[in-house]
Amino acid sequence: MRCLNAARTGCRSLLLCLLAWTLLAVGCGSADPLERVRALHEEGRIRESLELLHELLDERPGDPEVQYRYGFTLRRLGQPDDAIWALSAASSSEEWVLFASRELAAAGFESKNWLAAVAAAERILEHEPDDLDALALRGRSLLEAGQHYEAALADLDRVLESDPNDAELRESRAQALLMLKRFDAVAEELERIEELGRAANLGDAEVSRLCVTRAVFAKEQRRFEAAEAQFDKCLEEFPGSSWVVTEMVAFLDERGESRRGTSLLREFLQQRPGAVNMRVVLA
């Protein structure tokens, strides 16, 4: 206020006075730091907003927008597990429930916190029952959590009605059918995925998951030699895929070959020492 009073006493005209007030208001730091965070986010300068958000959390710990933007920032900086508490808090606000729940669902999925992802997706669907992204995420999270395969399949089928050529969702559908032991339907789905893959030129991530799905398919049919051969093929083609290694280790554990599975994990971590999730599996 002292700063603004000084400007006022030096004004000789209304125009000059208004200009001085504007310049000094900025220079005196009267702008809301949350406005600065919003501007940084709009400009894509996410990392620069983190220090401001730490200060805002101390000053306004119960502000849902601050909580939302903090969780938003952490997720963009590759820390989805750390973002969950702030996004959960923000999602309790009626004004921010949809924004925060969408971020929370994605953060839960990315950090493999499947139950958090499912709960957030369900909160979205309470407000918007036909949200296809939320349906797909809930279905995939239920599948990954190893729970409610029928419900997961129903969600995936609803989404695929709108986009029947989504190869990633069809792969998840094949996994749900596999867990439900509907083997004829699985075989048909795998053929459909391969057709889509050839047309869409799928990337390594999608192809590796399809490769593993075939191995798991053979295992569920108790064709263990064929399953092991398929896993070996997947590992040879995609040695850097955590999905391939994790599923093969689970298969080896079931077959009583835990030492070999442990060796695979150690070899993987020698190549990718920063893979925290794989360190958890090894532990």
Side-chain angles (χ1 to χ4, degrees):
M1 181 60 71
R2 238 192 328 259
C3 195
L4 295 178
N5 285 338
R8 182 170 54 191
T9 57
C11 289
R12 294 184 179 180
S13 71
L14 178 60
L15 180 60
L16 288 174
C17 191
L18 288 172
L19 178 61
W21 270 63
T22 301
L23 292 173
L24 285 169
V26 174
C28 293
S30 63
D32 184 350
L34 187 52
E35 287 286 352
R36 177 62 176 156
V37 169
R38 292 177 188 136
L40 288 171
H41 284 183
E42 287 178 7
E43 295 167 13
R45 296 157 64 186
I46 305 299
R47 187 174 295 278
E48 293 178 45
S49 70
L50 189 58
E51 185 175 348
L52 280 171
L53 283 164
H54 282 148
E55 295 173 2
L56 283 166
L57 279 172
D58 290 337
E59 296 171 6
R60 314 176 196 176
D63 187 322
E65 183 178 358
V66 173
Q67 294 163 339
Y68 164 74
R69 292 191 179 275
Y70 183 64
F72 173 95
T73 298
L74 288 180
R75 182 176 165 243
R76 295 308 183 286
L77 295 178
Q79 303 174 52
D81 49 343
D82 295 329
I84 286 176
W85 72 266
L87 294 170
S88 296
S91 68
S92 64
S93 162
E94 192 62 31
E95 181 181 358
W96 289 92
V97 59
L98 285 174
F99 294 103
S101 294
R102 288 194 173 96
E103 283 292 317
L104 180 57
F109 193 87
E110 290 165 5
S111 61
K112 301 185 187 301
N113 189 334
W114 311 122
L115 296 182
V118 169
E122 287 180 344
R123 185 167 289 184
I124 297 167
L125 292 166
E126 288 173 5
H127 291 78
E128 298 183 355
D130 297 322
D131 189 305
L132 296 181
D133 289 337
L135 282 166
L137 196 143
R138 184 175 67 178
R140 294 180 66 198
S141 297
L142 287 170
L143 178 61
E144 297 290 354
Q147 297 180 351
H148 310 297
Y149 295 124
E150 289 284 4
L153 183 61
D155 281 347
L156 295 169
D157 282 345
R158 280 185 64 187
V159 181
L160 284 165
E161 287 176 5
S162 298
D163 186 5
N165 294 328
D166 188 318
E168 186 176 357
L169 285 181
R170 287 209 165 272
E171 182 189 321
S172 295
R173 184 176 190 272
Q175 292 174 38
L177 291 167
L178 185 58
M179 295 299 102
L180 292 167
K181 300 189 182 302
R182 299 180 188 175
F183 297 133
D184 290 343
V186 174
E188 292 176 6
E189 198 65 47
L190 290 175
E191 289 178 8
R192 177 69 183 275
I193 294 167
E194 288 187 343
E195 290 174 5
L196 292 172
R198 285 191 292 270
N201 193 23
L202 295 179
D204 283 353
E206 292 82 5
V207 176
S208 68
R209 290 175 69 93
L210 177 58
C211 186
V212 168
T213 300
R214 285 199 170 279
V216 176
F217 184 32
K219 181 197 74 172
E220 292 296 324
Q221 292 178 304
R222 305 189 67 79
R223 295 186 292 115
F224 298 119
E225 290 184 4
E228 185 167 356
Q230 180 69 18
F231 273 121
D232 286 337
K233 177 185 175 185
C234 298
L235 188 63
E236 182 179 352
E237 292 183 10
F238 307 101
S241 168
S242 60
W243 174 259
V244 170
V245 173
T246 300
E247 291 298 320
M248 187 168 184
V249 167
F251 170 74
L252 292 171
D253 284 348
E254 290 179 19
R255 301 292 292 160
E257 298 182 54
S258 296
R259 288 186 179 181
R260 185 182 169 199
T262 301
S263 296
L264 282 177
L265 287 167
R266 285 179 173 150
E267 289 171 10
F268 182 89
L269 285 166
Q270 285 177 354
Q271 301 300 317
R272 297 178 60 186
V276 177
N277 289 336
M278 298 300 280
R279 289 199 177 278
V280 172
V281 176
L282 177 59

